[in-house]
């Protein structure tokens, strides 16, 4: 626009100069006088234009400088207020940490007696075992008892870590959920994978204690994320033993009744085989959680030919399927129907079918970009796997803030102690 205006002005000045030159020539002063007059007029007009333009540019520059000064002033004010807020936050964190430490000290003292009783119970059991390492059964029992003591000590000595893995939207890859995992550490701080201890922990009634710690830590992580204005949910694994435990579950339900604000952010997850194996007691307790507004998820899916109506009745809202299984049973079929019970359903219809039943499909164990391409072709909106982020341990400072209240742990440990007594 500025170039167009400059062009119009140039031609206007040229026209005025030629007019003046023509006037002088017609006045009888000759062509030379006319040309000189035209050139002189053009020079005068150009000089006036330069002066006016310079004045306008200087005024504009002064306005820009004033704006920059105002912006600097506002920035300085903002930095000053931010510094004050950070100072207040640091003081609040310091005072909060001190009060939390005092509270935890009291809780630890209250637990010492009960933990000591459990330790003595396990020690008595190990000492009284008639089996020796001379036979296969003896060696196996000794190993089991040793592992049991390691698991027990990890729980009572708080060698329990919380890991989180992101669940992202596709194709944006924005984190909207996390899945939580519990990892125990042995006395040498070696991380014990669930396959090492779950069977022993389940047989000895220690799974509720593990679920107990996971629940409280997930709840605290959810609150911490909400305090940072991060609207994300956390998948929290729960065992069938915990759902059916007549000591653990009432305390579990009471805690959640007092924390209903967590219902939109805390999702309880079971494996498909565990879900299918639930009995009347477990199903009833799941319904009690659903009445409070909590939702469920199933993972470790082995077949896509699911009972969608049963999942919907049981308040399951998420279904996690391994990416390889989705691709194998939906894309690599050579024209066959993916669901024997619904032969009219085609590959691209599976995700919409789950949504029609109130279920959100999540592709888990995603490890390559090629899998992402296939998953997007299937209209899957959520993904989880090492490609988007590996499970990472929560920092110790944060983990220390998520220790459960003493009364909740007390009931769980009492339940475990009863089972451990010969």
């Amino acid at each position: 626009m500025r170039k167009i205006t400059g062009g119009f002005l140039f031609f206007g000045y040229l026209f005025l100069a030629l007019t003046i030159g023509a006037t002088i020539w017609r006045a009888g002063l000759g062509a030379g006088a006319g040309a000189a007059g035209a050139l002189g007029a053009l020079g005068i007009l150009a000089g006036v234009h330069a002066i006016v333009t310079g004045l306008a540019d200087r005024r504009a520059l002064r306005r820009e400088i004033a704006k920059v000064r105002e912006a600097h002033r506002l920035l300085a004010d903002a930095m000053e207020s931010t510094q004050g807020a950070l100072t207040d936050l640091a003081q609040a964190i310091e005072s909060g940490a001190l009060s939390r430490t005092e509270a935890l000290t009291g809780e630890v003292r209250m637990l010492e007696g009960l933990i000591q009783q459990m330790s003595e119970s396990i020690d008595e059991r190990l000492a009284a075992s008639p089996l020796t390492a001379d036979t296969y059964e003896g060696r196996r029992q000794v190993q089991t008892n040793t592992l049991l003591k390691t698991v027990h000590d990890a729980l009572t000595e708080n060698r329990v870590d919380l890991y989180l893995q992101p669940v992202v939207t596709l194709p944006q890859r924005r984190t909207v959920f996390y899945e939580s995992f519990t990892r125990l550490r042995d006395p040498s701080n070696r991380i014990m994978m669930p396959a090492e201890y779950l069977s022993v922990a389940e047989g000895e009634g220690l799974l509720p204690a593990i679920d107990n710690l996971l629940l409280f830590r997930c709840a605290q992580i959810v609150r911490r994320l909400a305090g940072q204005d991060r609207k994300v949910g956390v998948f929290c694994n729960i065992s069938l033993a915990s759902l059916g435990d007549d000591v653990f579950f009432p305390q579990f339900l009471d805690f959640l009744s007092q924390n209903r604000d967590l219902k939109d952010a805390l999702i309880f997850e079971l494996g498909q085989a565990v879900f299918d194996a639930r009995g009347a007691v477990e199903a009833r307790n799941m319904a009690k959680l659903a009445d409070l507004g909590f939702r469920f998820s199933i993972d470790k899916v082995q077949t896509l030919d699911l009972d969608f109506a049963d999942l919907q009745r049981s308040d399951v809202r998420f279904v996690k399927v391994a990416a390889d299984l989705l691709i194998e049973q939906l894309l690599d079929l050579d024209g066959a129907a993916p669901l024997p019970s619904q032969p009219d359903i085609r590959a691209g219809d599976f995700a919409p079918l789950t949504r029609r039943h109130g279920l959100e499909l999540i592709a888990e164990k995603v490890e390559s970009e090629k899998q992402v391409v296939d998953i997007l072709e299937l209209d899957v909106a959520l993904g989880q796997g090492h490609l988007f982020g590996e499970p990472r341990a929560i920092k110790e400072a944060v983990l220390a803030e998520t220790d459960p209240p003493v009364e909740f742990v007390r009931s769980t440990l009492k339940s475990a102690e009863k089972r451990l007594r010969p």
Side-chain angles (χ1 to χ4, degrees):
M1 187 65 186
R2 189 170 182 177
K3 291 182 179 180
I4 295 174
T5 303
F8 279 125
L9 286 173
F10 172 76
F11 284 112
Y13 294 155
L14 182 62
F15 177 76
L16 286 174
L18 292 175
T19 301
I20 292 172
T23 301
I24 294 174
W25 175 61
R26 287 183 177 181
L29 297 178
L39 292 173
L42 187 61
I44 293 171
L45 290 172
V48 171
H49 175 80
I51 294 171
V52 172
T53 302
L55 291 173
D57 288 342
R58 281 193 291 274
R59 282 197 297 270
L61 181 61
R62 282 195 293 270
R63 285 196 298 270
E64 290 297 327
I65 292 173
K67 289 180 180 179
V68 171
R69 287 175 176 169
E70 179 65 16
H72 275 288
R73 186 185 63 79
L74 293 174
L75 180 60
D77 292 343
M79 290 180 66
E80 184 177 353
S81 62
T82 301
Q83 184 62 36
L86 288 174
T87 302
D88 294 342
L89 179 61
Q91 293 174 350
I93 290 174
E94 183 178 358
S95 61
L98 289 173
S99 62
R100 178 62 178 160
T101 300
E102 293 173 357
L104 285 175
T105 301
E107 292 174 359
V108 168
R109 287 175 179 170
M110 292 174 66
L111 277 172
E112 283 179 350
L114 184 57
I115 292 174
Q116 182 63 30
Q117 291 176 12
M118 285 190 66
S119 300
E120 291 172 358
S121 177
I122 288 185
D123 290 340
E124 290 173 4
R125 173 177 171 170
L126 294 177
S129 177
L131 297 173
T132 66
D134 296 336
T135 64
Y136 171 77
E137 283 298 325
R139 287 192 298 271
R140 185 171 177 273
Q141 188 61 50
V142 168
Q143 291 173 354
T144 300
N145 288 344
T146 302
L147 180 58
L148 171 62
K149 190 174 190 319
T150 301
V151 172
H152 166 266
D153 290 346
L155 292 173
T156 56
E157 294 172 11
N158 202 21
R159 293 198 304 271
V160 183
D161 295 331
L162 179 67
Y163 282 65
L164 296 180
Q165 183 177 33
V167 178
V168 302
T169 59
L170 296 175
Q172 300 87 353
R173 306 192 183 190
R174 179 174 60 87
T175 299
V176 288
F177 298 103
Y178 288 99
E179 179 169 358
S180 60
F181 302 92
T182 298
R183 297 289 184 265
L184 305 184
R185 284 178 284 116
D186 66 13
S188 66
N189 276 332
R190 181 184 67 87
I191 296 174
M192 302 169 61
M193 300 305 290
E196 294 183 60
Y197 61 80
L198 278 185
S199 60
V200 172
E202 183 175 10
E204 301 299 334
L206 290 175
L207 281 187
I210 296 174
D211 286 345
N212 178 355
L213 289 171
L214 183 61
L215 167 68
F216 275 98
R217 286 177 171 166
C218 285
Q220 295 304 318
I221 290 298
V222 166
R223 294 197 187 284
R224 190 180 183 92
L225 292 173
Q228 299 172 359
D229 291 329
R230 296 178 62 185
K231 305 299 182 182
V232 298
V234 176
F235 290 94
C236 183
N237 288 276
I238 186 170
S239 65
L240 204 62
S242 294
L243 286 172
D245 191 289
D246 57 357
V247 175
F248 168 81
F249 189 79
Q251 295 288 342
F252 184 88
L253 188 66
D254 182 61
F255 169 76
L256 293 176
S257 298
Q258 298 174 28
N259 293 272
R260 292 194 186 191
D261 58 311
L262 300 174
K263 62 184 175 62
D264 294 325
L266 203 57
I267 305 112
F268 297 109
E269 188 162 275
L270 305 91
Q272 182 188 14
V274 173
F275 176 80
D276 292 340
R278 73 196 188 283
V281 173
E282 292 83 5
R284 187 163 55 249
N285 286 340
M286 287 179 65
K288 291 178 181 178
L289 293 175
D291 289 341
L292 296 178
F294 290 91
R295 300 167 293 169
F296 296 94
S297 168
I298 64 169
D299 65 352
K300 301 180 179 68
V301 171
Q302 300 300 315
T303 175
L304 301 186
D305 202 5
L306 302 166
D307 188 342
F308 294 104
D310 183 37
L311 294 173
Q312 190 173 22
R313 283 193 303 270
S314 303
D315 292 282
V316 174
R317 294 294 176 261
F318 300 90
V319 176
K320 291 184 178 181
V321 185
D324 284 342
L325 183 65
L326 279 173
I327 295 168
E328 176 187 337
Q329 296 196 11
L330 293 179
L331 293 180
D332 301 339
L333 290 176
D334 297 327
L339 304 181
S341 63
Q342 302 186 55
D344 295 334
I345 295 296
R346 291 294 173 259
D349 301 328
F350 182 73
L353 173 65
T354 62
R355 294 189 189 107
R356 286 199 296 273
H357 286 86
L359 303 167
E360 190 64 51
L361 183 62
I362 301 175
E364 63 175 349
K365 300 179 181 177
V366 181
E367 298 181 355
S368 69
E369 294 292 345
K370 183 180 183 304
Q371 288 177 320
V372 174
V373 174
D374 292 334
I375 290 167
L376 289 173
E377 184 180 342
L378 295 171
D379 194 25
V380 178
L382 295 171
Q384 176 184 351
H386 286 194
L387 180 66
F388 310 122
E390 299 181 5
R392 295 191 179 278
I394 299 298
K395 294 180 180 178
E396 290 185 7
V398 176
L399 204 61
E401 300 175 6
T402 62
D403 288 337
V406 97
E407 290 301 326
F408 202 92
V409 179
R410 184 193 299 252
S411 63
T412 304
L413 294 180
K414 282 182 177 178
S415 175
E417 182 186 355
K418 290 177 182 177
R419 293 181 177 85
L420 289 171
R421 285 176 179 168

